[in-house]
Amino acid sequence: KKESDKETVGDLVIAVNPATLVHRALANITGGISRERSAAPAAKSAPDCEWQVVRHEENDAAEALSAFALTSNRRDPQVAQPPGWSTKYPLRPEQLRSLGWMIRQEQTTVPFIEEEVAESVLPSLGLRMDGRARVERMVRGGIIADQVGYGKTAISIGAVLASQIAWPKKGAAPSDTVRAVPTKATLVLAPSQLLRQWPREVEKFSQKGKLKTIVIRTVADITHLTVKEVQEADVVICATTVLRSPAYFERLARLAGCNRLPDCKSTTSGRQFADSYRKTLGALENQIETLSGEGAAAASAHVRRGPGNLPEEEEIVDIAPKRLKGA
């Protein structure tokens, strides 16, 4: 503080903690669903983090968004008929454009930028600090939302034919220890009412013997399948009801050597089920590693038989809800 004549001059120091704000933004990207096994992998190891201090006005008007408009693929390039496609039912030009887009989506190397922003406002000073975190994720695929009757099933089969994987993979020895069974098959999840349509469409649009198809209508169908059959299949068509049934999760837990999972259809055990399911998948990977390394007999020894009880040494963890409710 300095005094000269009638003026008083002071220094105002504002301390900020950008690291905490940036970590808050980063937690929204790297936590929650991003930790699940189905999350897209990061394209690079380190996220990009930035922060800034700007002037803040409570009555700032949001920027007007541009009008929403659906884009057309009429100018997209066509691709050739997929290899192994039936000459009796060639794809139409508009279908070949959509097929080309699907193939490019599957082969893209351009990452998707996932971004989160956290902010802290000092209204009395009219300042705001923003913390931004960005993570590049390699996301492939997309959604075909063409109108009914356009031929979405046909071009999906064309994408399978155009993206077939050479099998067996070169350089992979049968004795290699793995934590996931490799397969060249494309998994198709469909409602029960479409389980007849999909195999017929595959047979109709592909050349005879080009695509080996397996259909799973119930959990019991899995009993008759072998690992080798799934590995050698080109398309596995499974009813969505199978992967939502308690019988499926019970068989999964037994194979993994884990205790019975909570009821998957219960409305009160969602977080407990998610935690148990995550642990079961980890144990299943260990089982596959045992199967590929030590053989079927060693893996069979770890399969749970009977309903099974919680071991005494295992700790029961009460998982808190995401939000606490109260006055």
Side-chain angles (χ1 to χ4, degrees), residues 156-215:
S156 296
I157 295 171
V160 173
L161 287 168
S163 307
Q164 281 191 288
I165 302 173
W167 191 264
K169 285 188 174 182
K170 296 181 179 179
S175 59
D176 287 349
T177 300
V178 296
R179 293 179 64 83
V181 177
T183 176
K184 63 174 180 175
T186 295
L187 176 62
V188 176
L189 299 178
S192 301
Q193 64 269 24
L194 296 181
L195 285 191
R196 292 185 177 181
Q197 175 187 339
W198 259 94
R200 289 200 301 261
E201 299 284 278
V202 170
E203 182 179 356
K204 173 182 176 180
F205 291 117
S206 62
Q207 295 176 5
K208 185 176 181 180
K210 191 65 177 179
L211 294 177
K212 184 176 181 180
T213 305
I214 291 177
V215 181

Side-chain angles (χ1 to χ4, degrees), residues 128-296:
R128 184 183 76 245
M129 182 169 67
D130 298 330
R132 181 171 65 183
R134 291 179 174 180
V135 174
E136 294 184 359
R137 297 196 182 279
M138 188 53 64
V139 179
R140 294 187 173 92
I143 298 175
I144 293 294
D146 296 318
Q147 62 185 354
V148 176
Y150 185 88
K152 296 183 291 296
T153 301
I155 58 178
S156 296
I157 295 171
V160 173
L161 287 168
S163 307
Q164 281 191 288
I165 302 173
W167 191 264
K169 285 188 174 182
K170 296 181 179 179
S175 59
D176 287 349
T177 300
V178 296
R179 293 179 64 83
V181 177
T183 176
K184 63 174 180 175
T186 295
L187 176 62
V188 176
L189 299 178
S192 301
Q193 64 269 24
L194 296 181
L195 285 191
R196 292 185 177 181
Q197 175 187 339
W198 259 94
R200 289 200 301 261
E201 299 284 278
V202 170
E203 182 179 356
K204 173 182 176 180
F205 291 117
S206 62
Q207 295 176 5
K208 185 176 181 180
K210 191 65 177 179
L211 294 177
K212 184 176 181 180
T213 305
I214 291 177
V215 181
I216 302 176
R217 296 179 175 84
T218 64
V219 176
D221 291 339
I222 302 177
T223 306
H224 307 291
L225 287 177
T226 65
V227 173
K228 184 177 180 181
E229 287 175 333
V230 175
Q231 284 186 302
E232 294 178 348
D234 297 296
V235 181
V236 176
I237 305 170
C238 180
T240 54
T241 52
V242 170
L243 302 183
R244 292 198 297 258
S245 67
Y248 168 77
F249 290 109
E250 169 60 14
R251 290 175 61 90
L252 181 68
R254 287 192 180 191
L255 178 60
C258 296
N259 295 291
R260 177 175 295 182
L261 276 70
D263 185 4
C264 62
K265 297 185 178 181
S266 172
T267 58
T268 59
S269 60
R271 287 174 62 80
Q272 183 185 1
F273 174 84
D275 182 71
S276 300
Y277 181 60
R278 189 181 297 112
K279 293 177 180 177
T280 300
L281 291 182
L284 183 63
E285 290 181 349
N286 294 334
Q287 273 285 70
I288 296 174
E289 188 174 12
T290 301
L291 176 65
S292 60
E294 303 177 30

